[in-house]
Amino acid sequence: MKNGMVIDLDRCIGCQTCAVVCKMHNSLAPGVWWNRVFTQGTDEHQTAVGENDNLQMEFLPVSCQMCSDAACEKVCPTQASYYDQNGTVLVDYEKCIGCRYCMAACPYGVRQFNWRDPRETKAEAAHETAVALDAGLATNEAELGGVDRWSFARTQVVEAACLLGYPNPQFEGAAHHLVYTQNRPRGVVEKCTFCAQYTQNGELPACVRACPAKARSFGDLSDPTSEVSRMLASCSTVRLREDYGTEPKVYYLPPSNRKA
Amino acid sequence: MPEPTVDKISRRGFVKSCVALGGTAVLSGTIASIIGARDTDNPAFAANPDKPLRHVRSTCSPNCTGGCGMVAAVQDGKIKTIIQAADYPEVELNPRGCLKGLSMSNLVYGPNRMIVPQLRVDGSKPGTDNFTDVTWEEALDTAAVRLQEIADKYGPESIACIVQVAATGHVHKGALSRLAALAGWSMHGGYDMNGDLPMSAPMTFGVQSEENESYCWPDARYIMVFGSNLAATRIPDAHFLHEAQQAGAKMLVFDPNYSVTASKADEWHSINVGSDAAVALGMARVIIDEGLYDSNFVKIYSDLPFLIRRDTNQKLLAQDVAASAGLDVPADIPCYRRSHVFVTTDGRLRASNPQELLADVVPEHIALEGSASVQLGDGRIVEATTAFSLLRTQLEDYGLEQTEQLTGMPGADIARIARQAATTSPLHLIYGASNYQWYHGDLKGRALALLPVLTGNIGNLGGGFSTYAGQYRMRFKPAAWWKVDGKGPAFVPFEYVVHGPTETMTARFPKNGIRAWIIFCCNPFDQHNLNNQLREQKQNGHLELVINLDFQKTTSSLYSDILLPGVTWYEKTELVTSPVHQYLQLMQPAIEPVGQCRPELWIFRELARRLDTDFDQYFFPELGVEEATSEVIRLLLAQGGDEVEGITLEQLRKGPVKMHHGSYGTKRIPFYEQIHDGQPFPPVSYPEPLENTAQFVKSGRIEFYKDEPTFIELGEALPVHKAPYEETEYALDPTYRERFRFSYITRNSIHRVHSTHADNQVLLELKDHRPKLLVNPHDAAAKGVQADSKVEIYNDRGSITAFAVLDPGVKSGVVIFEEGWWQDQLNGSYNALIYPHIKPTHEVYFVPQMWSPNTNWNECLCDFRPVGVEP
């Protein structure tokens, strides 16, 4: 079995739903994106490129390309980056020592590093939340005779905001690699796992399930009857930077340029 | 590849949370437990595989009106993840949902989430976050007392309720309507308040709006999109456009500005701002001149064969013709319909039957063009000409050259597209809010409607005339709950609150004005025009009381006196419909209400019993709120009419249930009964009874000739192109012509639903936390504006600052600001610039949310400059 993905760029409308559902389900801290959608040729998403009537707006979703010959895996000194039995490139968070060789090696810039404990970042983003509790609350408690229920409610909200995302850890293979945990430890590298917490249980990655444009397909590239195999057989596809020889397992159907 | 972005937490946020950590004992415990503990054994983070996730299906239903089934995964009573339910039996609808709905938990547990009822601190300035937490008893008692004071002082009609997006919440939103009906309060209709009511729809078809559900899009073979960015505003539906193209359809986008939708189209035409009607009329002329129209369709279903009196410019009435008995005038015509007169090919006059379109009419015997001298009952002889002949004459002004000049579109393209549109069926014309939220938006829609009607593309699968803007519409009879014994609240159009009453208005306005608001899930202090003046109304005391019921603390909360914390669609049961699909769905509680929040039915019931003990009985007082909600849903289903007949709450608990419709096949076809069964226009627009909207098209047909005096006086009896700004901005202040040369377009963002999600941290990250102004690079250069630099956008009414984005897709002379930011995220309010110009044709009738003055968001001029540079 060899898991891969096909993304139809004609269908992609650049809505970033894949990026957001990835972020929410994988409990990514603020600033971290495993999956991003670019507008080719500009830094401003969903703006035009070109001049006058000769304009275009083409989107490119990019997450881990799940290379078959992955530079990240080669350079990892601890074998924290590895292939699972389906060819998916994963990171064992318990083995990663944070040397970031993999980040330097990855030609796609999809790996991200936890400089801090993500829980800190999340707690800060949940904010200001904290501040909303402020002095007003304390006086109010006094007025209410020390009843603690209001503050109880607010702290619950803060806590819930910090604990969004798929909650349970995911261990992979006989070696019990820790490949998903809601809050990655400080000092490890993280990236797309094809949603290990879902795919290992027979479900689709969140971005595939959620794409409202139905631009993404996921499945077994070694099974000729799978949807992805049939798409590869019937359509012309491209992969990012094929010249690097990384053999990605994420394929793109290029846009068709219908314009007259 | 760009480098991954690094952590962008602002310094302010960091400092603040450090303060919180050190400063508040209550909180520091929790935060410390989150931040401080490194070991994964900490119970706050303990991953417990034995703890199963509970999955609850609800319906994401903000003011996009998409109505998307979602499943929340819940652990420990908290939402963890949200994903599309993808459980529609018609699988092509799956998965419905977008980035906003999938990150809704950021609002459920958001930084501005309401937790407890609050009262404004006495003497504190409106607009400041100066509130005291109180008990529900105190909040509700205070609300009841203050409301009673206002009612005693100014009359209960001076209290107005704002309910947005009625069909997204039949039970809880209906509860406020019910209470308003009991208490005699007024109501502002959201559909006209938001400018979403396309006035051409009631004028032409007699309906509030009628559109194809999105799964009909692939059935079209020619799709013309005017001023609609469906790929951004209808994200879950956009794939159907792609599928239409795959099936062989051609999609054309007509929009001054390039958009995502334009990028997916086969053709994009950057027409001049406000010139949509001219495009349509130029094409209509080609279609008529070249005989490409569906003559029989036009004769049977439109008013174009009818004689127009040249002395009055009104339609000749059969009853006014001498010896009208000879015309075979149908008997028993209801007061809201008229029999008109047409000429047969052998030169005889005949009376139309406004009750039955297919009644003994042989279209081949109807003369579409020509004139006649007609003797009236009083002996006078008048000249009369068919509306079609008048239209043909009027279209002489829209030759290819003139049209090219008006629209900026090459005449050859106009002719080519007209021919293609007329010969490629089904033709589906989509007109968005960017097309019609203009002073002359009604004319644009009426002109554009010519294309599908002349070509016979109404009532056929895939064809039609659709808008997808806003919060329309009710899909079954809600009266059993929304009214009390058939009586609902009186409506006051919101435009009169900001503009003041007009001499031409037909709606009633309370003699003491509006002095108090009860706002339910609406943010008018950000989201409505002249909102700086609205804020002043609150600050100077004219608006004496604002009660705000919302699950978030928005800008409007800050201008309120009493904050009643409501719930999201994961904390209550509610009944939901959408205009873009046919499914009836429930919101269902995945979690207990956060904090002290309460479902709104509970809140209104508690308020009702404090206002009058007799009101109690109307809200199922003996039941808990969930049980009462269930009873209301049962009531609505039992009395909702044919569309929901036989559908049960128990079915809905299991998943979406498709409503019934009268079309053949599985897909509902707008106007099917009119075209195929000859029923008169219009079909009913709920919640109004038929006679209220049937008066809009008294002929019982699609009307292009409007003969109410206002239309005639304005020269708008037939669709015509009128230039933007002339009767509005330039009329109000002639100096605007020179001083403010930029069209100010406030479009929707993919990252918000209007101002909902304005504080969604994940979506803000995708926006770089920055409000942006999109400008054409040449315009920017002329103003000395660099990319990413701060600019001020202004006119005499207001000003805001944003970061410049140079976008070659923006037409020169246009600036685009993505609406929905909250006051505290901007320096000013983007809606302050927009004036409530009221067009008299919107006042010919008043039926709330059906024929009513609309907000013309785009009819606004501005200028921009680098921040710090004086003009």
Side-chain angles (χ1 to χ4, degrees):
Chain A
M1 189 158 164
K2 195 170 77 166
N3 280 336
M5 192 180 286
V6 180
I7 302 175
D8 183 346
L9 297 181
D10 233 7
R11 281 185 165 272
C12 179
I13 54 173
C15 69
Q16 299 176 320
T17 300
C18 52
V20 169
V21 77
C22 167
K23 181 143 178 148
M24 298 305 295
H25 279 249
N26 289 299
S27 199
L28 306 188
V32 177
W33 295 89
W34 287 359
N35 189 350
R36 285 165 289 164
V37 185
F38 299 100
T39 305
Q40 298 189 51
T42 173
D43 289 341
E44 280 298 335
H45 188 54
Q46 290 197 334
T47 57
V49 175
E51 272 198 25
N52 302 323
D53 287 346
N54 190 18
L55 298 173
Q56 65 170 41
M57 199 188 285
E58 286 173 356
F59 307 114
L60 185 69
V62 178
S63 53
C64 174
Q65 299 295 294
M66 297 295 179
C67 307
S68 295
D69 194 2
C72 57
E73 186 270 347
K74 280 191 191 134
V75 300
C76 179
T78 64
Q79 294 176 314
S81 284
Y82 74 104
Y83 303 104
D84 75 3
Q85 57 180 358
N86 303 322
T88 305
V89 181
L90 296 171
V91 179
D92 183 334
Y93 298 124
E94 292 180 320
K95 282 190 173 177
C96 178
I97 56 168
C99 69
R100 287 169 282 142
Y101 286 2
C102 56
M103 291 176 68
C106 173
Y108 305 105
V110 294
R111 290 180 162 244
Q112 288 162 81
F113 186 62
N114 286 281
W115 291 96
R116 308 171 68 190
D117 185 330
R119 293 172 291 188
E120 292 176 16
T121 324
K122 289 177 187 178
E124 282 177 12
H127 216 257
E128 323 225 304
T129 355
V131 179
L133 271 173
D134 74 15
L137 230 175
T139 51
N140 194 51
E141 271 166 38
E143 285 165 17
L144 292 167
V147 178
D148 200 23
R149 52 195 163 150
W150 311 143
S151 51
F152 174 70
R154 177 56 76 183
T155 51
Q156 274 196 322
V157 171
V158 175
E159 188 181 315
C162 293
L163 292 173
L164 288 172
Y166 184 79
N168 299 334
Q170 184 70 41
F171 297 93
E172 192 279 322
H176 292 278
H177 300 288
L178 176 64
V179 295
Y180 175 82
T181 179
Q182 194 178 30
N183 286 288
R184 273 69 71 184
R186 184 168 70 184
V188 304
V189 167
E190 61 180 73
K191 68 162 191 77
C192 161
T193 66
F194 273 166
C195 283
Q197 72 275 33
Y198 298 137
T199 45
Q200 309 233 340
N201 298 312
E203 295 175 281
L204 291 169
C207 61
V208 177
R209 281 182 73 182
C211 175
K214 310 190 201 197
R216 288 170 180 266
S217 305
F218 176 82
D220 183 3
L221 296 168
S222 63
D223 172 4
T225 66
S226 70
E227 187 189 358
V228 283
S229 294
R230 280 186 282 119
M231 289 174 85
L232 292 184
S234 62
C235 311
S236 100
T237 53
V238 296
R239 292 182 289 180
L240 299 183
R241 297 308 303 256
E242 297 204 57
D243 51 321
Y244 287 149
T246 49
E247 299 291 329
K249 291 191 287 296
V250 175
Y251 293 80
Y252 296 89
L253 301 182
S256 61
N257 281 317
R258 300 175 57 90
K259 276 176 279 300
Chain B
M1 281 296 124
E3 283 299 299
T5 47
V6 291
D7 187 335
K8 273 192 181 161
I9 286 297
S10 68
R11 188 176 167 277
R12 178 167 155 259
F14 181 76
V15 171
K16 271 193 173 181
S17 78
C18 290
V19 169
L21 284 172
T24 61
V26 177
L27 191 70
S28 57
T30 302
I31 291 285
S33 73
I34 293 167
I35 295 178
R38 286 295 315 271
D39 58 315
T40 42
D41 293 336
N42 184 307
F45 294 95
N48 185 352
D50 299 330
K51 223 175 228 179
L53 288 166
R54 198 165 58 86
H55 293 92
V56 179
R57 190 210 193 267
S58 191
T59 306
C60 185
S61 200
N63 194 4
C64 64
T65 69
C68 299
M70 293 285 188
V71 170
V74 179
Q75 193 182 64
D76 294 332
K78 302 285 191 307
I79 295 174
K80 297 294 165 183
T81 62
I82 296 169
I83 193 98
Q84 290 101 324
D87 58 356
Y88 298 99
E90 283 156 307
V91 294
E92 63 266 42
L93 290 168
N94 298 325
R96 288 194 63 80
C98 75
L99 65 168
K100 296 164 289 257
L102 292 166
S103 56
M104 180 64 193
S105 38
N106 286 339
L107 304 194
V108 176
Y109 306 119
N112 295 295
R113 176 67 204 239
M114 287 297 299
I115 302 290
V116 290
Q118 293 190 315
L119 293 180
R120 172 163 294 290
V121 172
D122 276 345
S124 68
K125 191 170 175 248
T128 59
D129 189 2
N130 217 339
F131 294 91
T132 313
D133 294 348
V134 295
T135 61
W136 271 110
E137 287 67 27
E138 195 174 348
L140 291 161
D141 289 347
T142 308
V145 167
R146 300 272 327 259
L147 286 165
Q148 197 54 54
E149 284 170 6
I150 304 267
D152 292 345
K153 211 150 105 186
Y154 303 110
E157 68 278 7
S158 285
I159 299 166
C161 306
I162 309 178
V163 178
Q164 290 284 342
V165 218
T168 63
H170 290 82
V171 175
H172 298 273
K173 292 177 178 179
L176 180 54
S177 168
R178 196 170 176 80
L179 176 54
L182 285 164
W185 298 335
S186 299
M187 186 83 97
H188 299 313
Y191 199 32
D192 46 59
M193 176 173 180
N194 297 344
D196 292 337
L197 169 61
M199 285 302 293
S200 60
M203 290 172 179
T204 310
F205 299 95
V207 294
Q208 184 187 40
S209 68
E210 277 287 339
E211 60 292 304
N212 281 320
E213 288 159 1
S214 57
Y215 68 172
C216 296
W217 296 352
D219 295 306
R221 285 298 169 269
Y222 207 74
I223 303 170
M224 301 171 80
V225 181
F226 285 81
S228 178
N229 192 7
L230 298 153
T233 56
R234 291 287 175 197
I235 289 172
D237 306 284
H239 67 91
F240 286 120
L241 290 175
H242 176 82
E243 283 142 25
Q245 289 174 303
Q246 292 297 102
K250 204 165 173 187
M251 176 167 71
L252 299 88
V253 169
F254 302 81
D255 194 318
N257 308 303
Y258 197 68
S259 63
V260 184
T261 311
S263 80
K264 297 290 178 185
D266 297 270
E267 295 182 22
W268 166 59
H269 296 280
S270 177
I271 60 173
N272 290 341
V273 168
S275 71
D276 311 55
V279 174
L281 295 169
M283 291 181 185
R285 176 176 164 150
V286 172
I287 290 170
I288 289 177
D289 279 359
E290 299 187 5
L292 298 173
Y293 57 95
D294 183 337
S295 171
N296 285 357
F297 187 93
V298 172
K299 287 173 182 175
I300 299 171
Y301 301 109
S302 84
D303 66 346
L304 291 173
F306 296 158
L307 288 171
I308 309 299
R309 287 172 57 163
R310 306 311 301 275
D311 59 336
T312 60
N313 291 320
Q314 290 186 305
K315 284 178 188 143
L316 178 64
L317 298 176
Q319 68 195 41
D320 291 345
V321 177
S324 57
L327 300 183
D328 212 6
V329 182
D332 303 326
I333 298 174
C335 61
Y336 51 84
R337 296 204 200 279
R338 300 282 181 274
S339 172
H340 298 110
V341 182
F342 60 91
V343 190
T344 59
T345 45
D346 58 4
R348 286 181 303 151
L349 301 183
R350 286 279 306 273
S352 72
N353 186 336
Q355 293 281 79
E356 170 50 67
L357 306 188
L358 301 175
D360 51 48
V361 172
V362 181
E364 285 75 13
H365 295 171
I366 299 174
L368 203 44
E369 299 188 63
S371 297
S373 298
V374 180
Q375 186 168 25
L376 303 182
D378 61 11
R380 280 186 299 149
I381 292 177
V382 296
E383 295 303 311
T385 303
T386 71
F388 192 90
S389 290
L390 295 176
L391 176 65
R392 190 190 277 275
T393 307
Q394 177 138 321
L395 290 177
E396 283 171 12
D397 293 342
Y398 300 92
L400 295 181
E401 265 179 46
Q402 296 103 307
T403 308
E404 177 167 331
Q405 218 157 33
L406 292 170
T407 64
M409 233 184 112
D413 283 342
I414 299 212
R416 173 181 56 84
I417 293 167
R419 291 175 196 128
Q420 287 177 351
T423 54
T424 318
S425 189
L427 160 66
H428 185 203
L429 195 145
I430 297 170
Y431 63 113
S434 194
N435 161 266
Y436 67 75
Q437 288 179 341
W438 293 78
Y439 189 75
H440 292 308
D442 54 351
L443 285 172
K444 292 183 188 179
R446 291 174 60 204
L448 288 169
L450 277 168
L451 302 180
V453 174
L454 285 173
T455 57
N457 279 293
I458 300 290
N460 55 339
L461 179 61
F465 182 65
S466 303
T467 184
Y468 297 101
Q471 55 97 42
Y472 57 101
R473 60 192 170 83
M474 306 209 89
R475 303 196 61 154
F476 59 85
K477 292 178 196 163
W481 175 243
W482 283 65
K483 297 183 176 183
V484 177
D485 302 329
K487 178 180 164 286
F491 278 78
V492 176
F494 182 82
E495 283 295 84
Y496 296 121
V497 176
V498 278
H499 178 283
T502 65
E503 284 175 14
T504 38
M505 70 190 286
T506 38
R508 99 189 207 304
F509 195 74
K511 67 177 191 298
N512 292 314
I514 298 297
R515 310 306 294 257
W517 270 348
I518 301 170
I519 304 172
F520 178 10
C521 283
C522 177
N523 184 13
F525 288 93
D526 273 323
Q527 287 301 98
H528 285 282
N529 49 4
L530 289 189
N531 58 34
N532 47 347
Q533 289 187 20
L534 281 181
R535 292 172 188 183
E536 276 164 32
Q537 282 195 25
K538 184 68 185 82
Q539 278 161 349
N540 69 23
H542 178 82
L543 203 49
E544 291 192 11
L545 172 69
V546 180
I547 297 174
N548 194 353
L549 198 161
D550 204 319
F551 63 84
Q552 289 193 288
K553 187 176 272 187
T554 68
T555 300
S556 294
S557 308
L558 303 184
Y559 284 87
S560 300
D561 304 286
I562 302 173
L563 306 182
L564 306 176
V567 293
T568 67
W569 36 92
Y570 296 103
E571 300 161 65
K572 66 181 169 188
T573 298
E574 177 58 288
L575 183 64
V576 177
T577 61
S578 160
V580 282
H581 62 75
Q582 187 75 14
Y583 285 87
L584 200 59
Q585 301 175 91
L586 293 183
M587 296 177 188
Q588 301 193 88
I591 54 171
E592 290 291 313
V594 167
Q596 295 295 310
C597 296
R598 290 287 179 273
E600 296 80 7
L601 170 57
W602 181 90
I603 298 172
F604 293 127
R605 185 169 72 180
E606 289 296 319
L607 187 57
R609 68 165 54 124
R610 283 167 171 80
L611 288 164
D612 188 328
T613 48
D614 283 349
F615 291 172
D616 211 23
Q617 59 184 302
Y618 294 95
F619 296 91
F620 298 98
E622 70 286 2
L623 298 178
V625 65
E626 273 296 317
E627 292 73 27
T629 302
S630 295
E631 282 312 303
V632 175
I633 292 173
R634 289 195 180 98
L635 176 73
L636 283 163
L637 292 174
Q639 298 189 34
D642 296 344
E643 289 83 354
V644 294
E645 196 187 342
I647 298 175
T648 65
L649 175 63
E650 289 63 35
Q651 284 176 305
L652 290 166
R653 288 275 179 214
K654 291 185 195 131
V657 180
K658 193 168 179 177
M659 288 178 285
H660 314 303
H661 59 70
S663 313
Y664 78 91
T666 56
K667 298 177 182 178
R668 176 180 177 275
I669 301 171
F671 304 119
Y672 182 86
E673 293 85 348
Q674 281 65 41
I675 304 305
H676 292 264
D677 305 333
Q679 290 180 21
F681 283 84
V684 70
S685 291
Y686 295 126
E688 294 297 323
L690 182 65
E691 55 267 32
N692 287 5
T693 47
Q695 63 174 332
F696 304 157
V697 286
K698 294 189 177 66
S699 64
R701 285 160 172 78
I702 301 166
E703 291 195 352
F704 289 105
Y705 194 95
K706 303 304 293 180
D707 67 355
E708 291 87 348
T710 306
F711 288 96
I712 295 169
E713 284 156 24
L714 293 171
E716 298 183 10
L718 284 165
V720 62
H721 162 75
K722 289 189 171 181
Y725 313 123
E726 296 289 342
E727 291 159 70
T728 53
E729 299 287 73
Y730 302 157
L732 212 58
D733 181 349
T735 69
Y736 266 49
R737 196 184 294 272
E738 296 303 322
R739 292 165 59 221
F740 299 108
R741 290 165 170 266
F742 285 86
S743 297
Y744 179 59
I745 306 294
T746 45
R747 77 173 185 196
N748 288 100
S749 164
I750 62 167
H751 299 121
R752 292 182 293 271
V753 180
H754 302 296
S755 72
T756 306
H757 291 283
D759 64 337
N760 185 326
Q761 292 297 313
V762 165
L763 303 181
L764 278 169
E765 253 191 72
L766 291 171
K767 278 247 161 299
D768 308 325
H769 296 261
R770 280 179 162 193
K772 294 174 184 177
L773 184 77
L774 276 59
V775 298
N776 181 282
H778 300 293
D779 291 339
K783 297 268 180 193
V785 166
Q786 316 280 322
D788 291 331
S789 67
K790 259 190 171 177
V791 289
E792 182 188 3
I793 310 103
Y794 63 99
N795 61 22
D796 289 345
R797 297 182 286 263
S799 127
I800 52 169
T801 52
F803 291 87
V805 172
L806 310 192
D807 181 351
V810 176
K811 198 175 186 71
S812 181
V814 175
V815 296
I816 297 175
F817 181 80
E818 290 192 334
E819 55 107 342
W821 293 91
W822 287 358
Q823 171 188 260
D824 63 355
Q825 299 168 322
L826 281 178
N827 181 17
S829 162
Y830 52 92
N831 280 324
L833 281 71
I834 300 168
Y835 187 82
H837 304 288
I838 294 177
K839 185 170 180 181
T841 54
H842 292 201
E843 299 177 302
V844 168
Y845 301 96
F846 174 63
V847 176
Q849 312 188 79
M850 307 271 168
W851 190 309
S852 178
N854 263 269
T855 309
N856 303 307
W857 302 106
N858 295 320
E859 190 84 12
C860 182
L861 288 166
C862 71
D863 199 0
F864 69 101
R865 61 191 172 208
V867 160
V869 176
E870 286 308 306

